[in-house]
Structure formats: structure tokens, C-alpha cells
Amino acid sequence: MAITNYRFAKQRSLHRLQGRIWLSVSLSAALSGTALPGTAQTLDSGFEDSIPGLNATIPEVLTTTRLRQPKTRVPGSTTVIAGDLIRDLGIRSLYEVFRLVPGMVVNFVGSHQPVVTYHGTVHYEQRRMQVLVDGRTAHRATLSDMDWETMPVPLELIERIEVARGPNSAAYGINAFLGTINIITRDPADSANLETTVTSGSRGYLRTFASTGNADSSYDWRLSFERRKFDGFDYQVDDDERFPFNDGHDINSFIYDSRLTFTPGTNLELQGGVVDGTKYQDKDKSGELNPLDHPDIDVRDYYLQSKLNHSFSSEHFIHLQASVENFDRRQEYAISFPDSTVECLRNNTPLYEYTYTAGGRERRCFISQGGPDAFAVVDADSEDTRIELEAQDTLIVSDSLKLVSGAGFRKDIFRSETYFNGRGNNYQSRLFGNLEYSPWQWVTFNAGGNWERTSTTGDSYFSPRAAAN
């Protein structure tokens, strides 16, 4: 922290006092991150979670090591964004939230397709960044894609978002090389009422949200609906007349969350959701192969998730989680091309290879030979299904020694005649663990790692971590 040098010696004592005040405020901001004061839960251990001299609370972090830790003990840069802060700022799209995270880049590619990356270029394939929703993987590994527009996560249901900035492969595997985003939704018992929101704006923007539920001693549930409609952002001007692009969306999602309580130490969480709608794709911006009309994408997604939580005692508890997700994209569009392209396809000549003439550079396979244009229909349908299992054990030996360990298995099934020439499977198995040791109040050691084997490469990988705070 740089401290301003003051010019007048006669005010030196006053400036010293101001410097102390600003130092305390800066310390508070550094420790509490972007979370609102008082939003975090209080630690059960003997850790003093207040900052001396200030009315602030150090937030807890669950994502970085899979252990509940105060932010000062987390072995890595982590940003915590409270759901109340998102709503107070008036943010209307999930991907816009990550503009609040240092180092995150939020931009658009193609036909207004949002992408979120960390310290990297903005491109179609958002690789090496893990995205979780209540512990369920939301990243489409088969196409290295993260579809932020269709995620069934209404802003009203977000409790908090934790972003582990930088490599977190030691907890979540090689796909978390750039970082990990964990979106944690509100407990059904905290929203057991009727809630509605309707927001409209220019360019056909309309967002509708409704939620209802109930809570009692044995069964908490919530049913939510959200519709997001937008005609698109970009347009071009020609002779003072606006011509909008076809780059909006119309997405509907139904979400069910519940918790069944069997005993004070055992409960079962059940979640499910359906997404239905259309992502509009402009024929001049989508990047597709010369479509005759807008190659819109029909979305038909669903997910089911269950999580069994059991506490043997206040110091030892486990969870068993199982989920299945299906991402279904339907996209067919007609194209036309010169007849010479057919010959190029027959001769295995690259369609986008260039030739250089006196007039400049031309694409070889798009030079008309005088014959009629050829027409075809492109089938760009794709479907991904993910089956995921995870078991995690947490043991609190003492206030200074904590251990988390577990295992996971994931199967990805992909189907597409265009992208995969049919059907295929990927398998991933992994073991993970982390040990936290705090011999004194002012120092914490973390040691752990993740071992995984993937059928994509047929190899095994180990990602270790050792840190001292």
C-alpha cells in the first residue's frame, strides 16, 4: 500500500492519524474481499472472525480447498461475491457478475455469445476453468464450452459466488488450471415464500422471475421459473437507418430445489431443472459456413442432482453426491456455395486455402467456374450427457487440524454427426484431499492434491499443493 507523502510539516501529526485510519480500512477491505459484512456464517471453531477495531467479519470460503475456512487461511487468491451485492448493483445477466473479479475478462464472440476467462484471451473454447453450481459441474468438457446465456441460475437465487483465482487443480483436477467458479444457491428454507420480479427495457429486453415454496421440520422445497428474452445488442447503421443483428435469446427455465430431513444429522438434497428456448444466431456474425438464413440454436437441457449429507458428530461428516446433466443443441441451416467447391471436396482440397493472383488473395474453393451454385443443409446438432458421482469426507481432528478427502467419477457421453462423427465417451476418475494445520493463530499450513485419470489421453495426472499463510 502506498502512503501519500504530505507537504506540510505542521500537519504531520494529523496526517499520521489519518494514515492509521486508512490503513485499518484497507486492511478490512483486503481481508473481507467483495463480500458484504455480516453475510458469512460464523465459524464453529475457536477462530476469532472479527477484525480488531472494526465492525467487520472475515468471510468464509468453501471452494478453494473444499474445507470451510476463513478467508485469511485460504491458500490462494479467492473472491467472494455475496448474492445481495449482485442484486443491489442491479446486475441483470449472470456473466456480468464476473466483471467484479480482479483479472476476469468478460466479452463476446460471434453472434453476441458471452465468454468469461481469467487472464487469457477471449475465444470460443473456454478451456481450463472449472464452473460449478452447488458442486455440480456446469462446464461442457466435450466442446470446451461454457454457455452462460442458458445456465438455469436466476440471480434472485444466488447466495454467494466464490472464485478461486488461478490454478486450483489440486482440488478440482486439470480442468481448473485457470481457476474455479463455484455458484452457491440459496437454501430452500431461506426462500419459502412467494416472490416475483418483472423487468423490461429497450431492444426487447424482458426478464420474468417467480418463485414459491414452503419449509417445515422435515421437508423444505422451492419451485422457480425464469424467462430471459432479449432481441440483441448490436446493430448497424446504413443511410441513417438501423438494421439490427439477430443476436438475442429467448430462454425459459424451471428449477426445483428441496431438502428432506430424516434425522438431525442426516438429510437429502434434491435438485432438478429444465431449460427450453432459442439462442438467436445472426448469419453474418455467427461464424458458420455461409448460411442462407439465421442459424438459430434450439436449446433443450435438463439436470437432476441428489446429495446425501450425514454427520457422525460435530467433528466428522460426509456427503455423497450424484448428478446427471444433458445439454441438447439443435441447429440446422441451409448453405450455398459455388460449384467448384464440390470438386474441392472430392479432391480433398482445403475449403479455405487461398491462391494469390494479380488481383489479390482469393479462396480457391469459392471461385465460381460458371456452373450453378450448389446447396446443402448443415446438421450441427450436438448432445452432451454427463453422469457424475462424488464422495467427500471431512474430519475436524481439532480446532487446529482439519482433513478433507474424497473420490469422484465422471462419464461424458457426446453425440453429433458433425462434430464427433457419431457417438463417443470420456471417463474421468479422481482422488483428492487437503490437510489444514494451524499450530498458532497467525499461521496456517495447507497440503493436498488431486490425482486423476482420464480416458481422453489415457494418462494419469497428479496436481499437488503446499502453502503457508
Side-chain angles (χ1 to χ4, degrees), residues 195-214:
E195 180 180 353
T196 60
T197 302
V198 178
T199 307
S200 64
S202 61
R203 301 194 59 77
Y205 177 84
L206 175 64
R207 182 172 176 273
T208 304
F209 171 79
S211 174
T212 186
N214 189 37

Side-chain angles (χ1 to χ4, degrees), residues 208-388:
T208 304
F209 171 79
S211 174
T212 186
N214 189 37
D216 57 34
S217 59
S218 60
Y219 178 48
D220 305 329
W221 65 273
R222 177 181 63 222
L223 182 63
S224 307
F225 166 77
E226 183 189 35
R227 184 188 183 192
R228 300 191 297 268
K229 186 179 184 301
F230 186 39
D231 290 342
F233 181 77
D234 289 336
Y235 58 86
Q236 63 184 9
V237 178
D238 189 7
D239 294 331
D240 296 329
E241 186 176 356
R242 293 185 178 183
F243 296 91
F245 291 108
N246 187 68
D247 58 358
H249 57 262
D250 189 354
I251 303 296
N252 304 291
S253 59
F254 294 87
I255 306 163
Y256 171 77
D257 301 279
S258 66
R259 173 182 285 110
L260 290 168
T261 302
F262 303 111
T263 66
T266 306
N267 61 73
L268 178 65
E269 301 176 23
L270 297 173
Q271 296 177 320
V274 177
V275 181
D276 177 89
T278 303
K279 294 176 58 178
Y280 302 132
Q281 303 288 297
D282 192 272
K283 65 179 181 178
D284 297 321
K285 296 183 61 180
S286 64
E288 306 295 351
L289 183 63
N290 297 333
L292 295 177
D293 202 356
H294 299 308
D296 295 340
I297 302 174
D298 291 330
V299 178
R300 304 287 186 271
D301 298 347
Y302 69 85
Y303 72 90
L304 295 170
Q305 177 177 338
S306 64
K307 184 178 181 181
L308 178 64
N309 304 289
H310 178 70
S311 298
F312 298 100
S313 67
S314 59
E315 292 79 26
H316 188 200
F317 43 91
I318 63 171
H319 81 238
L320 303 174
Q321 180 173 294
S323 65
V324 57
E325 290 182 276
N326 193 78
F327 304 95
D328 191 355
R329 300 292 187 272
R330 301 297 170 186
Q331 184 185 31
E332 291 187 359
Y333 57 94
I335 63 173
S336 66
F337 44 87
D339 60 324
S340 59
T341 305
V342 177
E343 293 301 322
C344 289
L345 293 173
R346 289 173 178 170
N347 299 329
N348 293 323
T349 303
L351 291 179
Y352 285 93
E353 188 172 283
Y354 291 95
T355 59
Y356 295 87
T357 64
R361 187 177 74 164
E362 295 178 320
R363 285 186 291 188
R364 291 175 55 187
C365 284
F366 285 84
I367 303 174
S368 177
Q369 303 296 325
D373 286 347
F375 295 88
V377 175
V378 176
D379 179 2
D381 294 352
S382 67
E383 188 171 4
D384 298 65
T385 303
R386 174 184 296 121
I387 301 172
E388 195 167 12

Side-chain angles (χ1 to χ4, degrees), residues 160-171:
R160 56 197 276 138
I161 297 178
E162 298 182 358
V163 182
R165 312 194 314 265
N168 200 25
S169 303

